Amino acid sequence: MRQKAIPALVLLMSAYWFYSGWFVYGVWYAGGLGGGFMPVLSSSLAAIFAIVLLIRGDAAAGAIPWSAFIPVAMVALAVTLSHAIGLLPAVGVMLFVWVWLLERYPFGRALVIAAGPTLAIYGVFRLWLQVPFPTGALFGG
Amino acid sequence: MSNSVMRILAVAATAMGLAGPAAAFEPSRNVDMIVPASAGGGTDLNARTIAEVIKSDQLAKSSFQVINRPGGSGAVAFSYAATKAGDDHMLMPIAIGQIISSYALDWEVKGKDMTPIATVANDEFFLGALKGRFKDANEAIEAAKSGKITFGSSQKGNSDHLAYLLLNKHANTKFRYVQFGGSGEVMSALLGKHVDVGLFNPSEFVGQVRAGTVVPLASFSTERMPGELWKDVPTLAELGYPEVVAAETRVVLGPPKMDEAAVAYYENLLRRVTETDRWKTDYVERNNLSPMFLGAKETQDFLAEVIDRRVPVFKEAGF
Amino acid sequence: MTEILSLLGSGFAVALTPTNLMYATIGAAMGLIVGAMPGIGSLAGIALLLPLTFKLDPTGAIIMLAALYYANMYGGSFSAILLNIPGDSPAVMTAVDGYKLTRAGKAGKALFTAIVASMIGGTIGMVILTVMGPLLADVGLRFGPAEMAAVIVLAFTSIGWLLGESPAKGGLATALGLMLACVGVDLARGGSRFAFGLPDLMSGITFVPLVIGMFGFSQVMILMKDFRSQGQDRGLADVGRETLSIRRSVLSRQEFLRILPTAGKSGLLGTFVGVLPGAGATMAAFLCYVLEKRTGRDGARLGEGVYEGVAAPEAGNNAAAAGTFAPLLSLGIPGGGTTAVLLGGLMMWGLTPGPLLFSEQPEFCWGLIASMYVGNIICVFVAIAMIPFVTNILRVPVRIVAPVITAVCVVGAYSVDNTMFDVVVMLAAGLVGFFLTQYAYPTAPLLLAFVLAPILERSSSAAFEISGGSVSIFYESPIALGFLLVIAAICLAPPALKAARGLRRTKQPGE
């Protein structure tokens, strides 16, 4: 069943795209292509392939271990934290939590491992290229 | 410039009724200049020049840092500014086209929600065609009544589109709008004879005009642009279409509900920026802009005129 | 021809002055670093460094910026090959084979291939630019909206060659890319479509965060899935104890001879794509990869991690970078965002780009062209010198390198447009990319469709606006008609050939 999830989701998406393209944006207007032309074209294609894949099925892939989703959780953590403490500190905290708690490095080494890349990013992106990273609510708007 | 001069200017501004009764304002930290466009474009250059001039001529104590927020063709910067209502440490240098877009494309946050601070320069619009294609603007306008003449321009809902709609409405023409990805592509299409006329800022086609390959037929300004290349080009107003006025005017806005004292401070600061030699020669002259300065009140009136009198043409055209 | 040579010679005299040589070296070094930083493209890099050059003389300044521009193309491939994160969008296709080579322990040679191919492609582009720049620009002008639409349709038919083992899965990925490309500006009304009320989506999904997610971040997820189940952690690639010296990275004679025709072909195609209005280096890299896949001696193995798969897109994007200079210098027309910034730079120094630039400022123009040759060579040396340093990252245990790559993905995605929204886009694209890869859907066709679809929609809708809605514009233009006939031939040829072969086979026994 699981291997049919992708075509099923794409089929749902294509239904919405087709509906919006046809009824909301319009395929053709007087004298030119309407905004709905590409949505209708692409969703029709998507629907055809999705249906083929749904009927034919697919060899099941192996189970996905939970560890694959560690990076997702970590980025979610960094994004959430960035609202409070700013993006770069949040990335630093993310690195530290990951290396210390998940990869079980000793506290001191984890601190060093997290601080290195954070400082390098700060130097290149913030100081040199002047990327305006969000500072977060805690440290002055 | 010394502090006393600044004070006198501030007093003068107050006397002229531009500033409220507020006490003198001075930024207490860095000022963010939010640019609603990518690094490298016209709006970005405008912002960076303002920041540079303030720094090199030491016009202010705090530093002005440029931050690009190009998402959603400017809608992201507008939404961001709305969250910063009342913030006295944020400026948004912008092209009037994006203010027009906020109405034409119905963004959630619109131009009038912002606090107008000053108008700093004007980038005029010209109608250009290949040499020999049309004798003059009148011939092009006559020919366009057939509905077969194509008009190359960029994104819809912008000031280019406004210029086009005003021309079609008031000159009774039926130019066909052809939308390209940018002025470079419009120029390619014009030179390759894929479109008949195109809309250009002076800097976008000055090279071609000098070489004589492209001829400026008419300008969308109220007055003729000075200079050897432009002084003989009539305005559309002269040709009998006084309502056809459009340009890419460069305006500086503040977030909603900016404090009056802060507005007065920035207005005065920007006035002094536009008075420097660096601004006049390195920026305005080299980029073929027209000098223009309006204070906060005049900018508000100017924007209101554009929004109330010209922007409705989008609705009339069924947009 | 002799005139060009003498002009170029005087150009070299300008470019080879010690000061200008120094500017080119500084530009090249900065470009390599900026290019390797995900999220900071050549556009932002040049725009940020433009103010620094105001104090220089125009020739020196533009030499430095031009060096920065094409060094970017070199730098972008570094992070693509080593970490599977394309530093800049033209490096997308380099990541496909480059990262597989890295995992196979051939990172040094992959980097070397990228550098050599970039040099060959760039040089081909520049020779063409030198000899027939104005002519090339004129060819570009012949491509109006209808002709461009035909070219893009031709490019679309080539996606078929990228689909991989299961055409249905490749087709689904392509269609998904097309649907994602619909998000953003509705050309007909000017408003937005599929933006779901989010201002950040009103001009579409940004390409670079999407790519960082689909390649870099989904790769981290795969690393975390595979490596935790294994005992030993020796880093991204088993490079052994000894240092990855430059000598070990140099290609053998045979390897070099293998990539030479690839780089040559891609250089020619890339230059042509670079000249077309509204195309650009990313599209050039894609098309060169597809061309190699189709016509290369070993094309079928592209995507499994072969040197040709690195050489083709790298030669293509550097050639395209040179190609965009043709309309810029001879007509004053910027071919893309980055050249538009260079154009702005020219005006800041009081030069007027346009048809008169070559006759009024010959020293400047030829100095620039000559400096592009020189700068290209400088880039090669600077880039090769960096190989031993950058490949050290492969030694770092995965337990550390995975979190660090994640941090770079987050920061890189943010830096494109300075918005946290793009970090979320990166995360979502990473998840989608991970599941697609797990179930054997190819991601390259998705990205190619995403790049091509907006150009197709824009040019075909402009073509209809010109013709007033009539289809005739597509067959009345000889160029467009020619391309459409080629497309028809490509679509009909395989079945026709099959039929012919079938016929011969039935005949043979009777002979």
Side-chain angles (χ1 to χ4, degrees), chain C residues 331-349:
Chain C
L331 299 170
I333 298 175
T338 312
T339 36
V341 177
L342 285 176
L343 182 86
L346 293 179
M347 293 206 282
M348 292 301 282
W349 294 297

Side-chain angles (χ1 to χ4, degrees), chain C residues 174-413:
Chain C
T174 310
L176 188 59
L178 287 174
M179 287 204 287
L180 291 178
C182 291
V183 175
V185 180
D186 172 355
L187 290 178
R189 295 177 310 125
S192 56
R193 78 188 169 192
F194 300 106
F196 305 99
L198 298 167
D200 281 283
L201 283 180
M202 282 172 64
S203 57
I205 299 171
T206 316
F207 184 59
V208 175
L210 183 77
V211 167
I212 293 179
M214 284 224 168
F215 279 24
F217 189 70
S218 73
Q219 192 59 45
V220 175
M221 292 179 69
I222 292 167
L223 280 179
M224 292 301 286
K225 167 183 156 257
D226 295 343
F227 271 77
R228 288 182 77 86
S229 48
Q230 291 168 12
Q232 270 186 331
D233 185 351
R234 287 217 190 98
L236 283 178
D238 201 349
V239 284
R241 286 234 158 259
E242 64 234 91
T243 15
L244 247 177
S245 65
I246 294 177
R247 202 183 312 151
R248 283 188 53 205
S249 304
V250 177
L251 295 178
S252 71
R253 225 180 93 91
Q254 284 139 315
E255 285 163 336
F256 182 74
L257 287 178
R258 258 175 63 193
I259 67 158
L260 199 58
T262 308
K265 257 188 311 201
S266 305
L268 291 175
L269 177 63
T271 313
F272 173 69
V273 175
V275 174
L276 295 180
T282 310
M283 188 175 141
F286 268 117
L287 295 184
C288 290
Y289 187 88
V290 176
L291 178 77
E292 180 60 25
K293 177 116 188 131
R294 183 63 186 162
T295 66
R297 216 173 42 182
D298 228 358
R301 287 185 51 225
L302 240 67
E304 294 167 16
V306 289
Y307 296 120
E308 290 92 327
V310 172
E314 279 305 306
N317 65 30
N318 275 58
T324 49
F325 274 91
L328 180 72
L329 289 177
S330 52
L331 299 170
I333 298 175
T338 312
T339 36
V341 177
L342 285 176
L343 182 86
L346 293 179
M347 293 206 282
M348 292 301 282
W349 294 297
L351 298 162
T352 311
L356 299 180
L357 190 64
F358 266 94
S359 49
E360 287 181 351
Q361 302 277 352
E363 185 185 309
F364 168 82
C365 288
W366 290 103
L368 171 62
I369 291 180
S371 86
M372 288 167 70
Y373 287 95
V374 178
N376 222 339
I377 309 275
I378 291 176
C379 278
V380 170
F381 285 116
V382 177
I384 289 179
M386 281 165 84
I387 291 181
F389 300 101
V390 292
T391 43
N392 271 328
I393 193 157
L394 302 176
R395 249 166 243 296
V396 182
V398 171
R399 293 202 293 160
I400 293 174
V401 93
V404 172
I405 298 177
T406 306
V408 173
C409 288
V410 170
V411 171

Side-chain angles (χ1 to χ4, degrees), chain B residues 127 134 136-145 149 173 175 197 217:
Chain B
L127 195 63
F134 298 107
D136 54 20
N138 281 326
E139 194 185 296
I141 287 172
E142 274 316 305
K145 293 191 172 160
I149 302 298
T173 49
F175 280 107
V197 295
L217 296 173

